[in-house]
Amino acid sequence: MTNKPIILITNDDGIHAKGIKCLVEAMKEFGKIVVVSADESFSGMSHAITVKDPLYIQDLGEKDGVSYYVTNGTPVDCVKLALHTILDTHPDFIVSGINHGSNSSTSVHYSGTMGAAREGCVNGVPSIGFSLLSYDADADFSQSQKVVKCVFKDVLKNGLVKNTFLNVNIPDTNEVKGIKMCRQARGKWIEEFVERADPRGRNYYWLTGDFKNMEPESKDTDEYYLSNHYATVVPCTIDATDYASLNENKNYEL
Amino acid sequence: MTNKPIILITNDDGIHAKGIKCLVEAMKEFGKIVVVSADESFSGMSHAITVKDPLYIQDLGEKDGVSYYVTNGTPVDCVKLALHTILDTHPDFIVSGINHGSNSSTSVHYSGTMGAAREGCVNGVPSIGFSLLSYDADADFSQSQKVVKCVFKDVLKNGLVKNTFLNVNIPDTNEVKGIKMCRQARGKWIEEFVERADPRGRNYYWLTGDFKNMEPESKDTDEYYLSNHYATVVPCTIDATDYASLNENKNYEL
C-alpha cells in the first residue's frame, strides 16, 4: 500500500460543511486523504492569500484513516500551507469542494473552491474543483459523489494536461443525465445592493444578485448542459493571456 | 464638456497609497475621474468579494475636479459598489493601480488590482490594471505615469476587444525602453513560511516567498521584457476555458 496516492482535500465552506465530508467519503477509496481546511467559511474569496495576518494550523489528528488539519487561512492559503508546511511531500492530487453552490461560467473567478484548485495547478499538482448547484447546508450530495468518482477515475487513468485544472459542476437533481466536457459560458452577476441603515444612521449595503447567462442561445456551454441536468467539466487554464487579442507587433509610442 | 468620459479609478493598496494618487494625476486629462477605493490595503485579495459583512461607503467629496469615495470592501467590491450604487451611469473606463509591486505572470491571479480590472471587464467596461515593479511605499511613479498615458491613449483610440482587459506592468527603472504587448510567462511563487511562536506557545506562520520565472529561456513573455526594462501589456481574457484541452466528445461513464 506504499503506492497509494496522497490526495489533499480542501474547500471554501469550512471543515464542518457537509460538502467536504461527502467529498472525503467519495475519495477515500482512491488514496491516503489529508484534509486541510478553514474553521470558517471563505466563500467568494477567489484566489486570495493572507499577507497581513499570521496563519495558524491545528492538527486535529486522524479519524478513519483520514488526517485533518484546520487553519485560519483562505482556500489558497490552505493549499500553500499543505504543500510547504503540513505535508512532507507534494500530494499527487488536490480535490476541492464539494462547494455548496454553483461555480459555473464566470463564477469560477469569485470562487474560493476554484482558487484552491487553481493554486494546486500553479504548483504542478493535478487539481479538480467540484460544486453542487445548491446553497442548502443540508443538500443531497449523493449524485455529486457519483460524479466525483467518475471524473476522478478518468483523471487517475488519463492524467491532466500540465497547467490545466478542472471546474466540475453538478446540477441539483435526483438524476444526473451524464457528464459533458464543455466551455465556460459568458455570464455575469446582475448585482443589487440591499441598503439598510445602522442604529447610528449610517447606510450600509449587502451584496446580492442573480447570475445571468449572457449567451442563452448557445448549446455548448456549462450553463446549457447544467440547465439540461448534465454535470459539466470545464478544463481551465492558468494562462490568462487572450491569444486572440495578442499582437506582438503592436506599436506603442512611449 | 458633456462628452468627457467617466473614468473609475480604484486599486488594492488603499486610497492613501502613492500609486493611486499618481494614477489620478496621470489620468486627469482624459476625463471626469471618480475614485472608489478602500481605507486600507487589500493586497493579495484577488477577485474576492465580501459576502459575510455589510459594506460602507463614505463620500469624501470633490477635490480638484476629482470625486473620492472610500469603502471597507475589496477592490472587486469597490467596482461593484461604483457600478451599482455610487455612479448614476456605467463608467466609460476602469483603471486600477498603480500597484506597488509586480502583477506579471501568474501573479495576475493573486492581485486585487487585477481583480478590479477583471470585474470591470465582466461588466462590459474597458478596464486596465497598472503595476510598478517596486514595493516601496514612496516609489518613483514618473516613468509609470508616461506608460499609463501612452497605453490609455491607445485604448481611447482603438478600444478594447470585448471580454479582454489589460495587465500592464512597468519595470522599476529610470528609463523604460518601450512598451511591448506579449503573453503571460509561466511562473510561480516559491513559497516559504516563516515560523514563529506566540506568547502562548502556539506556532504561527507568515507567508513569504520569491517569484520564479519557469521559462527563463523564452523571449516572448512579460517576464523577459520586464527584465530587459520594457513595460509589458498582456491582454487577458475572462474565459478561463483551456480550449487546447477541450474535448467535447469526451466520454465519461457515469
Side-chain angles (χ1 to χ4, degrees), chain B residues 144-164:
Chain B
S144 302
Q145 287 177 311
K146 282 188 198 174
V147 173
V148 165
K149 289 182 188 202
C150 174
V151 172
F152 189 75
K153 273 179 193 164
D154 184 84
V155 169
L156 206 50
K157 187 177 164 197
N158 300 311
L160 270 182
V161 175
K162 206 177 162 180
N163 299 321
T164 298

Side-chain angles (χ1 to χ4, degrees), chain B residues 10 23 94-99 103 111-118 126-132 148 151 160 165-170 232-234:
Chain B
T10 189
L23 184 55
I94 296 176
V95 182
S96 180
I98 303 169
N99 193 62
N103 282 319
S111 164
T113 297
M114 292 312 301
R118 190 185 299 105
S127 300
I128 315 170
F130 292 97
S131 307
L132 170 64
V148 165
V151 172
L160 270 182
F165 58 107
L166 301 183
N167 182 13
V168 180
N169 284 273
I170 301 128
T232 56
V233 178
V234 176

Side-chain angles (χ1 to χ4, degrees), chain A residues 29-40:
Chain A
E29 66 185 85
F30 298 111
K32 163 66 187 166
I33 308 289
V34 180
V35 175
V36 181
S37 180
D39 50 6
E40 57 169 325

